[in-house]
Amino acid sequence: MSILLYAESAEGKFKKVALELASYAKKVADSMGTTVTALTVNATDVSELSKYGVNKAIKVSDSKLTGFSAKAYSNIIQQVAKKEGSKLVLLSSSTDSLYLAPLVAVSLQAGFASNVIGLPVSTSPFQVKRTAFSNKAFNITEINTDVKVISLSKNSYGVVENASTLTEEDFNPSLADSDFGIKIETVEKSSGKVTIADADIVVSAGRGLKGPENWGMIEELASVLGAATACSKPVSDLGWRPHGEHVGQTGKPVATNLYIAVGISGAIQHIAGINSSKVKLVINTDPEAPFFKVADYGVVGDAFEVVPKLIEKLKVFKAQG
C-alpha cells in the first residue's frame, strides 16, 4: 500500500523533479503512515533516492525504453501500481509526465489532480491545493476514487534530504509492439548549459535586445548566476534563439525561484507561462510595459546599460564570497 512515484531520469541520472517528488512523497507517506516506492526506468544508480526518503526502488531496464513513449511508460506505471497495491501515484509536471498522467489515471480508473502546489490539505477525505486559470487562482480539489493520481508543480515543494534504507527490485513489465507506436528519429540536446527544466534561475530576453548578436550579455549574466537562458516567443519565431528556449504558455512553462526578464514587454501568454516563478525581476525601458504589473522587482532602464553593470556587481559580490 506504499505511495508510488515515477522517478524521471535522463541518460541514467535522476532529474531534479524526481528528487523533489521523492521529497514530497516522503512527507506525505509519513502523514499517512506508509512508505515510498519509486519506479525507475533505465537509471544507472538508484541509491541516490535513499537520500530523499524512498524505501523501495523498482527498476526497469529495457533498451526499447531509451526513447520516451507515453503509452509504454504509462503501461509500466499502471502495472507497478497494481503490483504494489498503491492507492496514491505521484508524477511531476515535466513535459513527459504531462503526457503520462491522464493515461495513468484512465488505466487505473483513478481521479487525477494536476498542478498540485503543496502537501495534501487533508488525507481523509483526500484534498489537495492546485493552481488554476493559468496560475491566477487556487482551488482545493477532492479526489474520491480508490486510487488517486496527482502531479506536483515544479519547485512547489523543494528538494529535501531525509535519509532512508532502500531496497531494490528488478521488474520486467509486459509490453507489446503497440506500446511503441511512435518512433523517435533524432533528439537534439544542448550541452554544457543549465537546462530550463532543471534551473532554479532563468534569464530570459525579448525583442528589446534588438538582435541575436547581442545575446552575449544574456549568456554571461546566466553564467554568473548559474542560470538557464530563455527567450520570448517573437524571438524564437524570428530565429534569434532556438525554439527550445521559448518560455511561456505557448512554450515551456517555468516555475523557477528567480525569473529575470530583459527587454520583454510581457504579453499575457508569456506571463501566464512564468507566473509560478517565485521572484520576477523585469528590466525594460518602457515604464508602462505590462510585465511591471506582475513583477516583484522592476528596473526601468536600457538593458545595454543595466545588464553589464549587474554582471559587474554580481562578479564582485561572488568574489567576496
Side-chain angles (χ1 to χ4, degrees), residues 82-152:
K82 289 182 176 179
K83 183 180 85 70
E84 296 295 307
S86 299
K87 301 300 183 182
L88 179 59
V89 179
L90 306 182
L91 299 165
S92 73
S93 291
S94 69
T95 302
D96 286 354
S97 286
L98 289 175
Y99 284 105
L100 285 174
L103 294 174
V104 171
V106 169
S107 65
L108 292 173
Q109 296 185 319
F112 168 51
S114 61
N115 303 320
V116 173
I117 58 169
L119 295 169
V121 177
S122 167
T123 56
S124 183
F126 193 86
Q127 298 175 329
V128 288
K129 185 177 182 180
R130 308 167 55 239
T131 58
F133 303 113
S134 298
N135 303 312
K136 295 184 180 68
F138 304 102
N139 69 32
I140 303 298
T141 295
E142 183 172 316
I143 308 178
N144 296 316
T145 51
D146 183 41
V147 181
K148 302 161 182 65
V149 176
I150 67 173
S151 64
L152 182 69

Side-chain angles (χ1 to χ4, degrees), residues 30-181:
D30 286 347
S31 69
M32 296 178 69
T34 187
T35 57
V36 180
T37 297
L39 166 64
T40 70
V41 178
N42 291 337
T44 54
D45 181 11
V46 302
S47 63
E48 184 181 13
L49 294 174
S50 66
K51 297 179 183 178
Y52 305 97
V54 175
N55 305 105
K56 181 179 181 180
I58 295 182
K59 303 183 294 182
V60 174
S61 298
D62 191 330
S63 59
K64 290 194 295 185
L65 296 167
T66 301
F68 176 73
S69 167
K71 191 172 181 181
Y73 275 57
S74 64
N75 196 355
I76 295 169
I77 295 170
Q78 177 239 136
Q79 290 179 43
V80 173
K82 289 182 176 179
K83 183 180 85 70
E84 296 295 307
S86 299
K87 301 300 183 182
L88 179 59
V89 179
L90 306 182
L91 299 165
S92 73
S93 291
S94 69
T95 302
D96 286 354
S97 286
L98 289 175
Y99 284 105
L100 285 174
L103 294 174
V104 171
V106 169
S107 65
L108 292 173
Q109 296 185 319
F112 168 51
S114 61
N115 303 320
V116 173
I117 58 169
L119 295 169
V121 177
S122 167
T123 56
S124 183
F126 193 86
Q127 298 175 329
V128 288
K129 185 177 182 180
R130 308 167 55 239
T131 58
F133 303 113
S134 298
N135 303 312
K136 295 184 180 68
F138 304 102
N139 69 32
I140 303 298
T141 295
E142 183 172 316
I143 308 178
N144 296 316
T145 51
D146 183 41
V147 181
K148 302 161 182 65
V149 176
I150 67 173
S151 64
L152 182 69
S153 288
K154 189 179 71 170
N155 281 339
S156 62
Y157 185 76
V159 177
V160 181
E161 290 195 13
N162 194 336
S164 64
T165 301
L166 182 72
T167 61
E168 302 178 18
E169 177 185 317
D170 292 323
F171 179 68
N172 295 312
S174 175
L175 297 173
D177 291 340
S178 59
D179 290 323
F180 300 92

